[in-house]
Amino acid sequence: MDSLKIICPNGHLGFAPLKPASFHIGVDAGPDYIAADSGSDDIGPTPLGNDTSCSPRDWQEHDLEVMLLASRKLGVPMIIGSAGDTGTNSRVDLFVGMIRAIAARHRLGPFRLGWFYSELDREVVRAKIRGGSPILGLDGRPELTEAQLDGTARIVAMAGVHPFRRLLEQGCDVIIGGRSSDSAIFAAAALHHGFPEAQAYYLGKVLECASFCAEPYGGKETVMGEITATHVDVTAMHPGQRCTVASVAGHAMYERSSPFSEYVLGGMLDMTNCHYSQLTERTARITGMRFEPARQLRVKLEGAGKVGERFVGIAGIRDPYTIANIDRVIEWAREQTRERFGPDGWSLHYSVYGRNGVMGDLDPMRHRPGHELCVVVQGIAPTREMAEEVAMTGTRQMFYARLPDVKGTAGGAAFPLDEVLPASPAFRWTLNHTMAVDDPMELFPVHTDRVG
Amino acid sequence: MNGTGEANSIRRLAELAKTIRSKNAGTDKITFDIIFRERETYEMVKRSGALTPERVCALYGIDPARLTDFVAFDPAFAIKFTFLRKEPSGSPGDGDIFGAQQYAPLLDVEVDIGA
């Protein structure tokens, strides 16, 4: 074939529902594949650590249903990567179960369903460290230590194109991937049909966030990418959106530190010499991309470690004198918690909205607080009971802070609730590292089954 | 009239740029994009010296060692910089898990368009 067309209806499947109207315009345009990424590390470490989704189940199933029905109607493959936000094994199983249920409900089939896992046992990582293959840190992080590994609750490895390609070779019509590079989901399809790596990975790069590469701004609308041996064309499917040189080049920068390079398992997409041109009113054409194969295969690892159980309290402040002395109020509440629980084994985090709750130390305006403050207090401790009491102490003691010149001696804080609220446990990103592998498939077991 | 003749050539970045945004770049960094509609404005802001590695470090009060990238990206008429977070995104106490509201101080950066 001379060209291959893929439509992408959603940049983070499940996080918000796709918009069906532009999706169906895309389906009518006759794509060869329907694909979407469902993962993100933007959502913080808690879903990975806790093995949950941050997306509601109904929204995930909605998008899978719309996509599966179109895929089966057209008879073209459907590919999902990084199932259920995190791409852990439980999220892959969740999506595989949804596909089976949707197929049964609509009496679809028969078709071949394939899936692969990306979760990684800590002991595999430990064996690499002990075998003399260091786990190298990304973004300035030092090498991973065994102590950090021990403090990690769950790890996923970032798959490249390889498990997707393996499942396509096995004739799968529907593929649910564990954690994987966004661009690999789309690139795998293009490589499967013999298109060159540079164009294939660029196709994935430009499609992975759906309509974020179009203008005017509007998420969750479908875009279509068409690859040839020399270029990639990208077209907005929503009648009110266009893919322009500005919107596509602008998207090359989105949520990445450099607009010039994209690293995947097995190499790097080099966009330094990309040339963007306007093909039609709604289609941009990109040429000049390159792909540089990696000298050593290194898989990116993401890991989350548990910090503790967590409760949250809320306090308001209106007295200007108290606002000016809010740090002393907070220190009072911390001191009361120290007296109760000792110097460590717990933590309190205060976000002072109206001063610098959003930006913390980065805020140039942090010395000019507003006329009222909202203080969000997070109390963290090893058990839920203790976390509740830490949060309660850290919140309620703001009421009793002893400021020398305060006029209001009947209470130093306003409470919208007389309780603290349970929250998900607190986690921390413990792994943002890479690990050497001999075979790009070694961490990603594939499975297939016949449905219908 | 202000008498100096200079103040008239000062514009806020928010008046000049089409897009000013911030977002996570992975778990450990926040990246900032300032995108202009046309080449002339983009070139003029670059010339003005209002956005340099030194200026953005001073604006956010960060050690220059935390600034990992600072690039002018011609195809998009954009200036882009990235710095390391103090703690990874979503660590307890992080007020902006997505890094999406960290651009606000850039809106008021003063650009001398006469430069």
Side-chain angles (χ1 to χ4, degrees), chain A residues 18-178:
Chain A
L18 67 80
K19 301 287 189 188
S22 65
F23 177 70
H24 290 299
I25 294 173
V27 170
D28 291 343
D32 301 295
Y33 283 82
I34 299 172
D37 170 44
S38 177
S40 177
D41 60 21
D42 271 345
I43 54 180
T46 294
L48 176 60
N50 223 12
D51 203 11
T52 52
S53 293
C54 71
S55 300
R57 194 188 158 96
D58 283 355
W59 295 359
Q60 294 171 330
E61 187 153 351
H62 169 269
D63 280 18
L64 292 177
E65 182 165 20
V66 170
M67 292 174 73
L68 183 63
L69 290 175
S71 150
R72 293 304 84 218
K73 188 176 117 194
L74 293 179
V76 302
M78 158 179 169
I79 309 180
I80 304 293
S82 298
D85 306 317
T86 62
T88 61
N89 293 0
S90 77
R91 301 302 95 184
V92 172
D93 290 341
L94 176 74
F95 275 25
V96 166
M98 285 179 182
I99 293 289
R100 290 186 197 279
I102 296 162
R105 197 157 64 235
H106 292 277
R107 300 177 194 284
L108 301 176
F111 62 87
R112 183 151 287 278
L113 173 62
W115 64 98
F116 71 85
Y117 294 114
S118 298
E119 215 170 305
L120 188 54
D121 193 295
R122 271 189 307 214
E123 297 315 309
V124 173
V125 181
R126 196 185 313 279
K128 292 273 184 185
I129 296 175
R130 292 189 177 173
S133 176
I135 311 301
L136 302 179
L138 290 167
D139 301 328
R141 289 189 181 221
E143 264 177 43
L144 186 74
T145 64
E146 286 199 47
Q148 289 167 326
L149 185 63
D150 291 333
T152 299
R154 189 161 286 101
I155 305 168
V156 285
M158 189 78 79
V161 293
H162 316 87
F164 293 107
R165 292 192 68 179
R166 178 70 55 85
L167 290 166
L168 287 171
E169 285 158 12
Q170 293 178 5
C172 288
D173 303 295
V174 177
I175 297 174
I176 301 296

Side-chain angles (χ1 to χ4, degrees), chain B residues 2 8 48 61 88-89 98:
Chain B
N2 54 47
N8 285 336
S48 75
S89 69
F98 286 68

Side-chain angles (χ1 to χ4, degrees), chain A residues 92-305:
Chain A
V92 172
D93 290 341
L94 176 74
F95 275 25
V96 166
M98 285 179 182
I99 293 289
R100 290 186 197 279
I102 296 162
R105 197 157 64 235
H106 292 277
R107 300 177 194 284
L108 301 176
F111 62 87
R112 183 151 287 278
L113 173 62
W115 64 98
F116 71 85
Y117 294 114
S118 298
E119 215 170 305
L120 188 54
D121 193 295
R122 271 189 307 214
E123 297 315 309
V124 173
V125 181
R126 196 185 313 279
K128 292 273 184 185
I129 296 175
R130 292 189 177 173
S133 176
I135 311 301
L136 302 179
L138 290 167
D139 301 328
R141 289 189 181 221
E143 264 177 43
L144 186 74
T145 64
E146 286 199 47
Q148 289 167 326
L149 185 63
D150 291 333
T152 299
R154 189 161 286 101
I155 305 168
V156 285
M158 189 78 79
V161 293
H162 316 87
F164 293 107
R165 292 192 68 179
R166 178 70 55 85
L167 290 166
L168 287 171
E169 285 158 12
Q170 293 178 5
C172 288
D173 303 295
V174 177
I175 297 174
I176 301 296
R179 188 67 173 128
S180 31
S181 289
D182 303 351
S183 60
I185 302 160
F186 308 86
L191 293 170
H192 181 63
H193 292 275
F195 291 95
E197 284 173 313
Q199 283 73 12
Y201 284 104
Y202 188 89
L203 176 73
K205 173 69 207 84
V206 75
L207 287 182
E208 48 115 343
C209 282
S211 50
F212 271 9
C213 67
E215 63 181 336
Y217 175 81
K220 309 300 175 186
E221 303 288 357
T222 294
V223 293
M224 181 168 72
E226 182 168 8
I227 183 174
T228 70
T230 56
H231 62 253
V232 171
D233 291 343
V234 57
T235 307
M237 292 293 107
H238 186 286
Q241 285 188 318
R242 292 166 295 136
C243 287
T244 65
V245 169
S247 72
V248 174
H251 180 65
M253 301 188 295
Y254 182 65
E255 59 183 17
R256 57 201 13 269
S257 45
S258 164
F260 301 122
S261 53
E262 161 92 354
Y263 288 88
V264 293
L265 176 54
M268 186 265 285
L269 172 67
D270 182 351
M271 297 177 278
T272 310
N273 295 311
C274 273
H275 180 258
Y276 305 81
S277 58
Q278 198 68 43
L279 193 66
T280 70
E281 195 201 353
R282 287 164 59 200
T283 302
R285 171 166 292 181
I286 307 91
T287 56
M289 56 289 273
R290 290 182 194 156
F291 186 78
E292 193 176 303
R295 280 192 293 273
Q296 185 188 28
L297 288 175
R298 298 196 68 87
V299 180
K300 182 182 172 186
L301 306 181
E302 295 173 340

Side-chain angles (χ1 to χ4, degrees), chain A residues 42 141 253 255-256, chain B residues 21 23 28 80 86 102:
Chain A
D42 271 345
R141 289 189 181 221
M253 301 188 295
E255 59 183 17
R256 57 201 13 269
Chain B
R21 67 188 180 193
K23 186 76 194 289
D28 297 345
K80 178 176 183 64
K86 260 188 171 168
Q102 303 301 307

